[in-house]
Amino acid sequence: MEQTWRWFGPPDAVQLSHIRQTGATGIVTALHHIPYGVVWSVQEIEKRKAEIAADPSLGLRWSVVESLPIHESIKIGEGDLTVLFDNYRQSLRNLAQCGITTVCYNFMPVVDWTRTELAHPLPGGGTALRFNLHEFAAFDCFMLKRSGAEAEYAPEVLARARTWFDRSSESDRSKLLANIMAGLPGAYDRYDIPGLRVVLDRYREIDAAALRENLARFLREVIPAAEEVGIRMCIHPDDPPRPLMGLPRIVSNENDLAFILGAVDAPANGLTLCSGSLGAGPTNDVPAIARRFASRIWFAHLRNVAKDPDGSFMEADHLGGDTDMVALVTVLLEEQKRRKDAGDPRWRIPMRPDHGHELLDDVGKPTHPGYPAIGRLKGLAELRGVMTAVSALRDLPL
């Protein structure tokens, strides 16, 4: 698999030279400064490519776009969407013109990946991302005060949420709001409580069926254009794979993925296999899901989570947690061999070590939450070892 690394552009504290030291050669990035719904011009794409290639000795290339974000109006199905669809298609054409042909995106409403703790303490002083359901319930029920929210949580979770809220200070509550808003990208908007209520109100009439149809409409609009120029679109699963704040989530399990890939049954309509997002779902068998949809996996995020019975989870070591990473890597390497044997020139699946613990000298550095250098380096090294061993034992191409 092509070993890649997420980079948030020139402001990223993890520099391109650091990325090369990890052994990764592919860069996963986006034009974060361009507002949602606006065309990515050839000039802006080439500028980012030039930044990545500025030092030829690093041998880096822009391998995957993550993400080309979808405007909220498309998710809601609101108003005349002609210009937004036209702009998205033009961005795809421009990316293809510049030689970038793998595009990761998501269809999560309002918020992206969501955690309640960004620095859960680990033994020895490191930190991890964590989602505590009772803290999220406290936010949803007692800070946001969403109508009907309390009925959506188990009694024991609600009781813990009430206890947390009653004991919390204003500082605790402000920190919880900031943590929940921290998922990047594509949610760069930051809301206070009143602002969040306003944006949630736009979804008042949108249930899972309506959101699913809006996604299918998006696919019908853009996949033919992607197919025409050789772009492989790959949808990212919901993180976590459960409704949040009354917002439906429709990319959460095997049935969801079957619907999406069948909505427009074309190779350009593919999947980002995120083992952490899917792995947080209590009924999701991630290696089995990967095996079923292997032929449509164009990108892989490899990380692990350890789940609690109440629906909480913590980001574990890349080879720890609840997902059998050896089994999953085997599925992906076997799919690569199938593609190579079939003569597909793009047979390698780009992968990246997704998220990582904050460790050693990275503790306290101004990196994006979940994206420190050392924790991801550790994860990539572990995953590289698994890939190398499985490849040697099963005679599968790396």
Side-chain angles (χ1 to χ4, degrees):
M1 284 184 276
E2 181 188 12
Q3 297 171 31
T4 70
W5 191 274
R6 190 161 196 181
W7 183 57
F8 291 94
D12 197 332
V14 182
Q15 300 170 19
L16 292 172
S17 59
H18 301 157
I19 294 171
R20 188 62 187 90
Q21 292 176 49
T22 72
T25 56
I27 297 299
V28 177
T29 191
L31 303 181
H32 303 303
H33 59 287
I34 295 180
Y36 291 12
V38 175
V39 172
W40 287 16
S41 69
V42 169
Q43 180 182 7
E44 288 290 340
I45 296 166
E46 289 291 354
K47 179 181 177 183
R48 178 54 52 87
K49 282 184 65 180
E51 290 165 345
I52 293 168
D55 182 348
S57 71
L58 300 181
L60 301 175
R61 75 181 190 101
W62 189 354
S63 175
V64 179
V65 171
E66 187 179 347
S67 320
L68 181 57
I70 298 170
H71 196 279
E72 214 68 31
S73 292
I74 292 176
K75 299 174 189 177
I76 299 169
E78 177 181 74
D80 183 357
L81 301 176
T82 303
V83 172
L84 290 176
F85 287 133
D86 284 345
N87 288 354
Y88 204 97
R89 286 188 288 260
Q90 189 59 51
S91 293
L92 294 178
R93 295 185 187 103
N94 292 347
L95 284 164
Q97 181 180 328
C98 297
I100 304 160
T101 55
T102 303
V103 175
C104 174
Y105 70 100
N106 75 69
F107 214 76
M108 290 180 264
V110 182
V111 291
D112 206 299
W113 63 261
T114 303
R115 302 291 184 269
T116 60
E117 286 186 85
L118 303 183
H120 181 80
L122 298 172
T127 70
L129 301 179
R130 184 173 172 83
F131 179 85
N132 293 312
L133 185 59
H134 72 280
E135 290 180 346
F136 192 85
F139 173 79
D140 194 12
C141 299
F142 309 128
M143 292 173 57
L144 187 60
K145 299 180 182 178
R146 181 173 61 88
S147 176
E150 294 186 32
E152 298 175 11
Y153 297 94
E156 58 272 21
V157 171
L158 199 58
R160 291 185 66 200
R162 171 56 74 182
T163 299
W164 183 93
F165 182 77
D166 289 344
R167 293 176 177 174
S168 65
S169 65
E170 283 301 318
S171 175
D172 293 332
R173 296 171 193 176
S174 295
K175 184 177 181 180
L176 180 59
L177 172 63
N179 289 350
I180 289 171
M181 292 291 110
L184 287 169
Y188 273 89
D189 286 333
R190 294 293 180 267
Y191 303 106
D192 57 13
I193 295 293
L196 187 55
R197 288 178 183 141
V198 169
V199 72
L200 290 176
D201 191 58
R202 295 176 65 192
Y203 279 88
R204 188 174 61 253
E205 304 300 325
I206 304 297
D207 60 8
L211 188 63
R212 178 180 271 197
E213 176 49 38
N214 291 341
L215 172 55
R217 178 185 178 188
F218 168 78
L219 295 173
R220 292 191 297 267
E221 290 281 353
V222 305
I223 292 300
E227 195 87 3
E228 180 183 334
V229 297
I231 291 275
R232 289 174 169 176
M233 299 282 289
C234 35
I235 194 166
H236 187 286
D238 302 325
D239 187 10
R242 58 170 296 136
L244 296 177
M245 297 178 289
L247 296 167
R249 293 281 180 120
I250 57 166
V251 196
S252 292
N253 55 48
E254 185 173 351
N255 289 337
D256 290 341
L257 297 176
F259 170 83
I260 292 163
L261 299 181
V264 177
D265 192 6
N269 180 25
L271 170 65
T272 297
L273 193 285
C274 181
S275 57
S277 299
L278 291 170
T283 63
N284 286 339
D285 182 333
V286 181
I289 289 172
R291 189 169 297 282
R292 177 175 176 183
F293 302 115
S295 66
R296 303 280 279 276
I297 296 171
W298 303 133
F299 185 32
H301 290 178
L302 299 183
R303 62 180 172 86
N304 225 321
V305 297
K307 298 185 289 292
D308 297 337
D310 71 348
S312 303
F313 60 89
M314 188 180 78
E315 305 223 354
D317 290 330
H318 285 74
L319 301 187
D322 299 331
T323 294
D324 184 340
M325 199 61 71
V326 175
L328 178 57
V329 167
T330 301
V331 171
L332 297 175
L333 291 178
E334 288 175 345
E335 172 59 19
Q336 283 197 155
K337 183 178 188 304
R338 185 197 67 78
R339 296 178 190 181
K340 186 177 183 184
D341 290 348
D344 183 351
R346 298 162 63 184
W347 58 270
R348 275 199 172 89
I349 299 171
M351 59 75 66
R352 67 174 178 85
D354 193 17
H355 295 181
H357 293 164
E358 208 175 49
L359 302 172
L360 303 173
D361 292 345
D362 270 345
V363 175
K365 284 185 177 178
T367 53
H368 290 282
Y371 289 94
I374 296 171
R376 286 186 290 162
L377 168 61
K378 176 174 178 283
L380 180 57
E382 293 171 345
L383 293 166
R384 184 183 294 132
V386 170
M387 290 188 292
T388 303
V390 170
S391 171
L393 289 171
R394 295 177 175 262
D395 193 25
L396 297 170
L398 279 171

